[in-house]
Amino acid sequence: MDHPMPSAGRTITLPTLDYGDVTLTCPQWCTGHADHRPDTYRADIHHRGPDVVLAFHGAEIIAAGLSQSPFATIVTPGLGGPTVGASVSPPDRSLTPVDLYSLAVALDSYADQLRDLAEQLHALLVGGAR
């Protein structure tokens, strides 16, 4: 599915609690800052891309999207920061490309387990076993 994205080089100015008005350039994938509040600290400003969502029966199971906090001072992996990452929820962590591939492998394995469970359930229902 294609998502409309703003053009690269779009400059915005956001009010912050600690630095006043902060002007920054949004990356091409950033969907905007409509949810920005003026009582936000500069370090908490973040760019977000559109989410890739797995939903089932109207419930969101997992969502992931590009994320970057250009003024963050956090250097703890998994908590986001000035380097672009993939924000995944759950588990509410920022993932590297390697981590994201590992998550995809885990989801593939889980899908296999669900198919096995579906076959077991089908056999129980068809066979009348309890």
Side-chain angles (χ1 to χ4, degrees), residues 48-54 60 62-66 86-89 95 100 103:
R48 288 194 52 87
D51 279 339
V52 176
V53 176
L54 169 61
E60 184 176 294
I62 191 168
L66 297 177
S87 179
V88 180
S89 178
L95 304 180
L100 208 50
L103 174 60

Side-chain angles (χ1 to χ4, degrees), residues 12-24 32-48 68-72:
I12 60 166
T13 300
L14 299 172
T16 65
L17 188 62
D18 54 349
Y19 280 81
D21 287 347
V22 174
T23 300
L24 65 156
H33 297 267
D35 62 344
H36 178 80
R37 296 182 0 213
D39 61 345
T40 300
Y41 291 97
R42 185 180 78 153
D44 295 327
I45 291 174
H46 69 276
H47 300 295
R48 288 194 52 87
Q68 178 189 30
S69 298
F71 301 106

Side-chain angles (χ1 to χ4, degrees), residues 93-118:
R93 299 199 43 90
S94 184
L95 304 180
T96 67
V98 171
D99 293 335
L100 208 50
Y101 280 119
S102 294
L103 174 60
V105 168
L107 289 171
D108 284 341
S109 175
Y110 185 69
D112 289 340
Q113 293 173 33
L114 286 178
R115 283 186 277 279
D116 291 345
L117 185 60

Side-chain angles (χ1 to χ4, degrees), residues 3-6 10 26-34 47-51:
H3 296 280
M5 293 192 189
R10 179 175 47 103
C26 291
Q28 179 180 352
W29 48 265
C30 180
T31 57
H33 297 267
H47 300 295
R48 288 194 52 87
D51 279 339

Side-chain angles (χ1 to χ4, degrees), residues 67-74 79-85 94:
S67 181
Q68 178 189 30
S69 298
F71 301 106
T73 56
I74 296 173
L79 295 181
T83 302
V84 179
S94 184

